[in-house]
């Protein structure tokens, strides 16, 4: 059912194309493994809150927000950093995080973030 498919978090996604063929997108896992293998252990990673648990669990890195972040001002600041111009965002982000993780699924046929 659709409820089951959207309620289970996946880091590997299989997509069915209009012509009946399938593709597997492994970008999430690859990115988390890159963070784990290529960044210092004490790195702080900024991403939107929904990816926080995966960053912590798979990449073994500190994240600025996860699904248990209840501080609305903190989430608002994180959102401001992610949607502001590069210059404005960098002025804030450089004090909070060492890395920023951004996802887009718009161009591979999946629903856009």
């Amino acid at each position: 059912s659709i409820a089951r498919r959207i309620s289970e978090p996946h880091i590997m996604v299989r997509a069915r194309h209009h012509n009946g063929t399938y593709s597997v997108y492994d970008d999430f896992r690859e990115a988390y493994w890159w963070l784990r293998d290529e960044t210092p252990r004490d790195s702080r990673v900024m991403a939107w809150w929904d990816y926080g648990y995966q960053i912590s669990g798979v990449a073994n890195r500190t994240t600025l927000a996860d699904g248990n972040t209840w501080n609305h001002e903190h989430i608002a600041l994180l959102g401001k950093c992610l949607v502001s111009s590069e210059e404005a965002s960098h002025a804030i982000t450089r004090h909070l995080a060492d890395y920023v993780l951004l996802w887009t699924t718009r161009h591979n046929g999946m629903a856009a973030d």
Side-chain angles (χ1 to χ4, degrees):
S1 76
I2 187 138
R4 182 172 176 219
R5 283 186 285 156
I6 64 174
S7 67
E8 297 176 358
H10 298 284
I11 61 171
M12 294 177 66
V13 179
R14 184 176 78 154
R16 182 172 184 215
H17 302 289
H18 294 292
N19 65 4
T21 62
Y22 292 90
S23 293
V24 174
Y25 298 100
D26 195 16
D27 299 349
F28 295 104
R29 185 184 59 85
E30 289 291 326
Y32 297 138
W33 281 7
W34 184 91
L35 284 168
R36 180 195 66 196
D37 297 339
E38 303 295 332
T39 64
R41 293 186 65 79
D42 63 347
S43 296
R44 299 162 299 165
V45 181
M46 176 186 284
W48 192 232
W49 66 267
D50 2 14
Y51 304 105
Y53 289 131
Q54 293 175 350
I55 293 168
S56 294
V58 180
N60 196 27
R61 293 296 176 265
T62 299
T63 184
L64 299 184
D66 58 33
N68 197 36
T69 302
W70 288 80
N71 183 328
H72 294 227
E73 292 172 358
H74 181 77
I75 293 293
L77 180 62
L78 177 63
K80 181 178 181 175
C81 291
L82 293 173
V83 300
S84 295
S85 69
E86 186 176 346
E87 183 178 323
S89 177
H90 183 261
I92 301 167
T93 303
R94 67 190 182 103
H95 299 290
L96 302 173
D98 303 301
Y99 295 88
V100 176
L101 180 63
L102 299 174
W103 292 116
T104 181
T105 56
R106 172 186 303 176
H107 300 291
N108 67 4
M110 298 170 60
D113 286 337

